[in-house]
Amino acid sequence: METKEFKAESKRLLEMMINSIYTHKEIFLRELISNASDAMDKLYFRSMSENTGITRSDMAIRIEADKDARTLTITDNGIGMTKEELENNLGTIAKSGSLAFKTENEKVDDVNIIGQFGVGFYSAFMVAKKVTVISKAYGSDSAFLWTSEGVDGYSIEDANKDSHGTKIILEIKDNAEDENYDEFLAPYKIKSLIRKYSDYIRYPITMDVEHERLKEGTENEYEKEIVTETLNSMTPIWKKSKSELKDEEYNQFYKDKYYDHEDPIAHIHTSTEGTATYTALMYIPAKAPYDYYSKNYEKGLQLYSSGVMIMEKCGDLLPDYFSFVRGLVDSEDLSLNISREMLQHDRQLKLIAKSLEKSIRNELKKLLKNDRDRYEKFFDSFGMQLKYGIYESFGANKENLQDLLMFKSSFGSGYVTLEEYVSRMKEEQKYIYFASGSSVSRIEGLPQTELVKDKGYEILYFTDHVDEFTVQMMHDYNGKEFRSVSADDLGLESEAEKEEIKKAEEDSKELFDFMTEKLAGKVKAVKLSRRLKTHPVCITSEGMLSVEMEKVLSVMPEEQARSAKAQKILEINAEHPIFAKLKALYAADKDAVAEYADILYCQALLIEGMAIDDPVGFTNKLCEIMSK
Ligand code: ADP
């Protein structure tokens, strides 16, 4: 028997493993099973070139848990290891493991390192106080036994083993105050770990499980029987060909995996080869999860490397605007032992993400074209996220998303896409008009919409907070600019009409100046309206910030947002009797004009759905006038 010390860097990693406070200790099983699976792959490839007659179906991984002896044994009949290989592979840290030491210099704590790296064989020491490896290399006559109790080193001696392959015996640690190691010996836990991490290993992972069965010839006497169960399902659904799969199977997989009771709106199953080789299975859920629009929601797809799960949620695979997508990506190009940080810079991953984004986009476009009802259902759940996607990127994602947007409009109760809107614009119509408000019915009653509607132009109804911000970032759709019905210039009047209004405004300049002065601090100006037909007044705004945007910002947590104010204009309808009244009063009773100005201003605010500063004063004034 030879006793040796671990190489210095292996020793350091071992120390980390042994004293690990990492909460995901359970990954040790995934690591050992992946190693076993690799060893069988190696034997399989060798047997192909050497024609040994060994096939995949001869190979299996066996798990045994002995509660009394506190051992967990993982056996494979793969390629095995020679004495030298045992020394080199298990005595020295593997290449992949040495990555961990890069970060060591940067003083990253061990929790991080373990979390970010697949740590391979040494992870066994997170749960075992002693590890024994008995291995016989394929084609060799001798077997060897390697043991280690941790940092002190390891020993190697001759051993007996009938056939090729490797047997790893873990002596599981005793329970500690806040650590339950017993569970790693419990069949239910082992089963669930294999389901979680190693379900798609292509070799069967078997375990003898005790069952009770009715004793033959009796009616209520039971006896124990041992059944060998295969714990993994081996072929993942996404590795099957599309033609083999029915919608029901896709949907069932989704519901089981993501605990949703509703079928998804659509699934996307794609495989590509070339610059990025991967298979993806993605789903668009029917409804947003309860926490979707909160900070707690974490986007991401599950990441597999050749059937082995390496990350539960890889956020970098999805753009924020498609954060609702659920599913997984399986790529052979990604190594098991890759850190989260490295993944962020991984070129391969970026290529995959880009290609996934395109598939999702195309699927949504297809849905919009072929199944409008379903698309609208999707949009009701996640349309807001698409709009945020444009807004948050300052318009950079516009090209990707603009054709997926829909709005309610003044033309009927359904949704309209921008493409549809533009296609039915009147010939002389310059802008894409929109009006904002808290609901469709509120918007329908807005005085500002009168003239635009009267021209027969369609108006988009913006009821989401983000809508106006989104189109501001978009600026235009295929060259057609967006224009609020409250905008200063609606582009509706002819030159002659403009002149006429200008003249009327000049005629009453003194009155308007007086009212503006009385409403100082509240409005920027009082003007004659170019958009009202029957209503007396309305509020519009100048500049980038609309009244609707001010409302949205006023409830934001940031002081700066809350204090942002629209430059409001109080517009008065020249055709309305109140205007004649104001003119008459201006000559006779200026105090009354001041009072009326304030009342009209408050009315305009109420129409907009905004609060007025002094509701009691306002109602008192109205009653006073009513009692005259
Ligand atoms: P990695 O798998 O990332 O290379 P590990 O520390 O898990 O790192 O394993 C080191 C090496 O030990 C493997 O590359 C492999 O050559 C060898 N090895 C581990 N487990 C087995 C096994 N069950 N059968 C044969 N070789 C194995």
Side-chain angles (χ1 to χ4, degrees):
M1 177 163 127
E2 298 170 56
T3 306
K4 298 198 175 176
E5 286 210 2
F6 283 107
K7 294 266 161 60
E9 49 176 22
S10 309
K11 211 164 160 171
R12 169 81 179 100
L13 183 59
L14 264 169
E15 261 164 11
M16 281 191 212
M17 291 297 149
I18 294 161
N19 305 315
S20 161
I21 49 159
Y22 183 54
T23 45
H24 292 90
K25 295 185 173 174
E26 60 185 36
I27 57 135
F28 80 93
L29 192 57
R30 172 191 87 176
E31 300 290 319
L32 297 182
I33 287 176
S34 292
N35 280 350
S37 169
D38 289 348
M40 297 196 286
D41 279 343
K42 282 181 199 159
L43 178 60
Y44 172 71
F45 288 118
R46 184 151 152 200
S47 73
M48 285 208 301
S49 59
E50 293 176 10
N51 256 323
T52 58
I54 294 176
T55 65
R56 282 202 203 275
S57 60
D58 297 327
M59 294 186 255
I61 299 166
R62 207 179 149 71
I63 312 271
E64 284 161 277
D66 185 332
K67 245 172 110 181
D68 302 326
R70 289 193 78 74
T71 56
L72 182 67
T73 306
I74 297 129
T75 311
D76 67 67
N77 53 357
I79 195 148
M81 284 176 272
T82 61
K83 188 177 177 193
E84 289 69 39
E85 281 167 340
L86 274 170
E87 288 225 21
N88 291 335
N89 295 340
L90 308 184
T92 347
I93 190 153
K95 243 192 282 142
S96 51
S98 61
L99 282 171
F101 289 87
K102 281 196 192 149
T103 47
E104 189 204 4
N105 299 330
E106 292 154 24
K107 293 261 176 290
V108 180
D109 58 60
D110 61 344
V111 176
N112 265 329
I113 291 177
I114 299 165
Q116 288 165 3
F117 292 88
V119 279
F121 173 75
Y122 287 153
S123 62
F125 286 98
M126 290 198 289
V127 299
K129 51 186 170 192
K130 181 176 177 189
V131 178
T132 304
V133 180
I134 304 166
S135 198
K136 186 175 185 181
Y138 177 77
S140 156
D141 294 329
S142 31
F144 296 91
L145 184 147
W146 180 103
T147 41
S148 171
E149 290 185 37
V151 269
D152 289 343
Y154 59 91
S155 61
I156 291 192
E157 58 195 279
D158 294 342
N160 284 319
K161 191 176 184 307
D162 288 343
S163 59
H164 57 87
T166 302
K167 181 181 224 163
I168 297 180
I169 304 157
L170 309 181
E171 208 171 296
I172 299 294
K173 290 182 187 176
D174 297 317
N175 276 354
E177 203 177 311
D178 47 2
E179 292 282 2
N180 177 7
Y181 292 105
D182 281 358
E183 60 175 3
F184 297 123
L185 294 164
Y188 85 90
K189 181 69 183 179
I190 295 167
K191 279 188 198 179
S192 86
L193 289 180
I194 286 169
R195 278 255 149 188
K196 181 169 175 190
Y197 294 108
S198 314
D199 201 31
Y200 307 116
I201 291 286
R202 64 166 110 199
Y203 304 99
I205 304 168
T206 64
M207 183 165 71
D208 287 347
V209 184
E210 209 176 80
H211 285 273
E212 298 229 309
R213 71 166 173 204
L214 206 60
K215 210 168 172 177
E216 229 176 288
T218 71
E219 280 189 4
N220 49 16
E221 269 184 71
Y222 287 86
E223 63 181 0
K224 291 205 165 110
E225 101 181 300
I226 305 284
V227 179
T228 303
E229 285 184 16
T230 298
L231 308 181
N232 54 331
S233 53
M234 292 189 274
T235 315
I237 175 171
W238 63 92
K239 291 268 172 160
K240 294 184 184 165
S241 86
K242 279 198 218 181
S243 56
E244 262 182 82
L245 292 160
K246 295 198 189 68
D247 281 351
E248 292 82 71
E249 284 171 83
Y250 280 120
N251 292 350
Q252 198 54 50
F253 178 77
Y254 166 82
K255 288 191 281 191
D256 289 347
K257 203 168 167 79
Y258 300 104
Y259 307 108
D260 199 342
H261 60 273
E262 222 177 315
D263 281 341
I265 295 259
H267 67 257
I268 307 164
H269 187 186
T270 61
S271 283
T272 56
E273 269 168 43
T275 44
T277 302
Y278 69 86
T279 301
L281 179 56
M282 297 181 285
Y283 292 92
I284 296 163
K287 293 221 178 71
Y290 70 95
D291 63 347
Y292 183 63
Y293 287 105
S294 82
K295 274 201 191 110
N296 296 337
Y297 182 81
E298 209 188 320
K299 66 166 180 168
L301 299 175
Q302 238 183 6
L303 197 56
Y304 284 82
S305 161
S306 306
V308 179
M309 204 263 279
I310 55 174
M311 200 186 284
E312 184 68 47
K313 257 194 186 154
C314 182
D316 298 328
L317 285 170
L318 290 175
D320 281 343
Y321 53 84
F322 288 154
S323 60
F324 47 83
V325 173
R326 292 174 141 169
L328 53 93
V329 176
D330 193 347
S331 174
E332 284 161 26
D333 297 348
L334 299 168
S335 131
L336 244 184
N337 297 330
I338 192 163
S339 80
R340 259 162 236 263
E341 272 147 30
M342 280 172 56
L343 267 177
Q344 276 173 7
H345 305 293
D346 193 81
R347 209 178 75 87
Q348 208 58 33
L349 197 81
K350 287 211 170 86
L351 285 173
I352 297 176
K354 211 172 149 198
S355 150
L356 293 176
E357 190 274 343
K358 212 167 150 190
S359 317
I360 300 167
R361 197 150 34 90
N362 288 340
E363 181 66 28
L364 290 173
K365 279 190 184 156
K366 207 172 83 191
L367 198 66
L368 174 61
K369 193 160 159 255
N370 302 334
D371 195 343
R372 181 76 171 219
D373 284 350
R374 279 176 94 79
Y375 188 82
E376 290 189 0
K377 197 169 167 211
F378 153 76
F379 198 82
D380 281 334
S381 298
F382 301 109
M384 180 123 82
Q385 191 64 15
L386 303 183
K387 294 186 265 191
Y388 269 114
I390 295 177
Y391 169 65
E392 277 172 348
S393 67
F394 302 103
N397 296 325
K398 172 180 158 179
E399 292 300 321
N400 285 350
L401 299 176
Q402 60 183 1
D403 284 314
L404 296 174
L405 301 185
M406 296 198 301
F407 300 95
K408 294 281 169 64
S409 91
S410 56
F411 281 16
S413 59
Y415 275 119
V416 57
T417 66
L418 293 173
E419 195 184 359
E420 285 156 358
Y421 181 101
V422 169
S423 74
R424 60 197 194 199
M425 269 170 82
K426 297 236 160 154
E427 209 175 314
E428 76 289 355
Q429 186 182 338
K430 285 198 213 133
Y431 302 114
I432 298 175
Y433 293 101
F434 66 85
S436 308
S438 55
S439 70
V440 166
S441 60
R442 265 208 112 109
I443 300 173
E444 272 174 338
L446 280 180
Q448 291 94 313
T449 61
E450 272 196 307
L451 192 61
V452 182
K453 269 190 200 157
D454 205 53
K455 290 263 178 195
Y457 299 161
E458 182 170 14
I459 302 172
L460 297 178
Y461 289 166
F462 285 1
T463 49
D464 271 343
H465 287 164
V466 70
D467 288 340
E468 234 179 282
F469 293 88
T470 301
V471 296
Q472 194 170 72
M473 289 303 173
M474 286 175 75
H475 182 265
D476 64 74
Y477 172 77
N478 291 347
K480 302 281 183 203
E481 280 180 42
F482 292 94
R483 185 71 33 121
S484 163
V485 294
S486 303
D488 199 27
D489 177 13
L490 287 177
L492 295 175
E493 308 111 335
S494 64
E495 285 308 310
E497 284 169 324
K498 272 187 192 158
E499 274 307 305
E500 205 178 303
I501 295 170
K502 215 168 148 196
K503 197 172 163 300
E505 225 161 29
E506 269 160 25
D507 289 348
S508 308
K509 188 174 183 312
E510 270 186 45
L511 169 64
F512 287 128
D513 286 349
F514 178 76
M515 289 175 78
T516 304
E517 190 196 313
K518 290 296 160 196
L519 292 173
K522 295 171 175 169
V523 302
K524 190 179 169 231
V526 180
K527 287 186 178 174
L528 262 196
S529 181
R530 296 159 161 82
R531 75 198 86 225
L532 296 174
K533 283 179 60 78
T534 58
H535 293 273
V537 285
C538 71
I539 290 232
T540 62
S541 64
E542 277 180 11
M544 295 285 280
L545 197 68
S546 73
V547 176
E548 197 57 33
M549 288 161 127
E550 177 189 313
K551 263 197 263 174
V552 174
L553 294 175
S554 70
V555 294
M556 297 277 164
E558 299 86 12
E559 167 61 28
Q560 206 189 351
R562 264 186 288 139
S563 56
K565 294 276 175 267
Q567 296 191 358
K568 300 188 190 72
I569 308 291
L570 179 65
E571 293 195 6
I572 300 185
N573 182 357
E575 310 294 324
H576 198 278
I578 192 69
F579 185 56
K581 176 84 183 196
L582 284 170
K583 278 207 284 199
L585 272 181
Y586 184 65
D589 181 0
K590 290 212 172 54
D591 286 347
V593 175
E595 206 157 60
Y596 282 22
D598 201 51
I599 293 173
L600 289 170
Y601 167 70
C602 288
Q603 287 178 332
L605 283 181
L606 289 173
I607 292 170
E608 280 299 314
M610 297 184 77
I612 52 179
D613 284 344
D614 179 13
V616 177
F618 172 72
T619 39
N620 285 347
K621 267 185 205 166
L622 270 191
C623 284
E624 209 177 290
I625 293 167
M626 287 156 83
S627 336
K628 266 187 193 163

